[in-house]
């Protein structure tokens, strides 16, 4: 746990910037669920991991977790974890599931970007194209041209049959992190 944080880190992922600096992306889960709140952050190392910066907070993590709309039972998802990717120009991109834009009713997939090695982050924005259905378990990558790709699952193909719970896998792509195009994967 970074100095001054309470709880534990989960989902630690280390990426390497084009200049060789390391960036550790993680979730802090509070000792008590809401006090302090869980959050996403990064720490950087300029000396190959010998020393690390103080943690930089990306955003408070506000997840509801995914539930079966028929039964209300929890669905195993990635609400405790996020994902990080590095663009060829050194921009950092992170994604996670979060309920801040649905009045805490269901999780959407959010993305945030840092253009300065993780020191500052953009306001989180919604990636999934049907924000009125639960979306969960995102992944992220950036291609050599700088196009961002986010994969995630959602329940938009769910049926009225309570004995089933079909989920879809989607790929959303963007060149600017604001305008997203999406295609069904599975």
């Amino acid at each position: 746990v970074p100095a001054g944080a309470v709880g534990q880190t989960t989902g630690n992922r280390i990426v390497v910037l084009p200049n060789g600096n390391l960036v550790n992306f993680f979730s802090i889960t509070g000792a008590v669920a809401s006090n302090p709140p869980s959050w996403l952050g990064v720490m950087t190392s300029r000396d190959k991991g010998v020393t690390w910066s103080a943690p930089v907070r990306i955003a408070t993590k506000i997840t509801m977790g995914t539930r079966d709309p028929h039964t209300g039972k929890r669905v195993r998802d990635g609400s405790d974890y996020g994902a990080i990717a590095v663009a060829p120009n050194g921009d950092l991109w992170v994604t996670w599931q979060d309920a801040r834009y649905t009045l805490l009713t269901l999780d959407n997939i959010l993305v945030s970007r840092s253009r300065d090695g993780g020191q500052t982050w953009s306001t989180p924005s919604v990636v999934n194209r049907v924000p009125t259905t639960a979306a969960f378990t995102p992944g992220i990558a950036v291609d050599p041209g700088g196009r961002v790709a986010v994969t995630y699952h959602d329940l938009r193909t769910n049926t009225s049959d309570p004995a089933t719970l079909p989920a879809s896998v989607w790929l959303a792509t963007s060149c600017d992190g604001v305008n997203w195009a999406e295609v069904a994967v599975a």
Side-chain angles (χ1 to χ4, degrees), residues 159-181:
T159 68
S160 59
D161 181 357
T164 66
L165 184 62
S168 306
V169 180
W170 298 88
L171 171 66
T173 58
S174 176
C175 293
D176 60 9
V178 175
N179 301 296
W180 295 88

Side-chain angles (χ1 to χ4, degrees), residues 60-141:
T60 299
K61 192 170 58 163
I62 308 170
T63 60
M64 300 308 293
T66 308
R67 293 190 178 272
D68 181 324
H70 300 294
T71 66
K73 290 182 181 177
R74 293 185 66 82
V75 173
R76 186 174 183 187
D77 65 13
S79 61
D80 288 338
Y81 308 103
I84 188 169
V86 178
N89 68 357
D91 286 359
L92 291 165
W93 292 87
V94 297
T95 187
W96 70 99
Q97 64 185 77
D98 193 291
R100 75 186 62 218
Y101 298 129
T102 65
L103 301 175
L104 306 182
T105 58
L106 52 87
D107 288 348
N108 283 164
I109 303 303
L110 302 189
V111 69
S112 183
R113 175 189 204 175
S114 175
R115 294 176 181 244
D116 58 8
Q119 298 308 300
T120 61
W121 292 85
S122 65
T123 300
S125 60
V126 177
V127 173
N128 52 304
R129 300 296 81 198
V130 182
T132 56
T133 189
F136 52 98
T137 314
I140 193 166

Side-chain angles (χ1 to χ4, degrees), residues 46-67:
R46 297 171 199 249
D47 56 13
K48 300 180 181 174
V50 175
T51 61
W52 292 88
S53 71
V56 172
R57 188 181 295 242
I58 298 169
T60 299
K61 192 170 58 163
I62 308 170
T63 60
M64 300 308 293
T66 308
R67 293 190 178 272

Side-chain angles (χ1 to χ4, degrees), residues 11-62:
N12 288 272
R13 301 286 187 265
I14 295 177
V15 295
V16 182
L17 295 174
N19 65 7
N21 290 348
L22 303 177
V23 177
N24 180 26
F25 170 67
F26 53 86
S27 295
I28 292 282
T29 302
V32 178
S34 62
N35 190 14
S38 298
W39 51 279
L40 301 166
V42 293
M43 296 170 67
T44 57
S45 175
R46 297 171 199 249
D47 56 13
K48 300 180 181 174
V50 175
T51 61
W52 292 88
S53 71
V56 172
R57 188 181 295 242
I58 298 169
T60 299
K61 192 170 58 163
I62 308 170

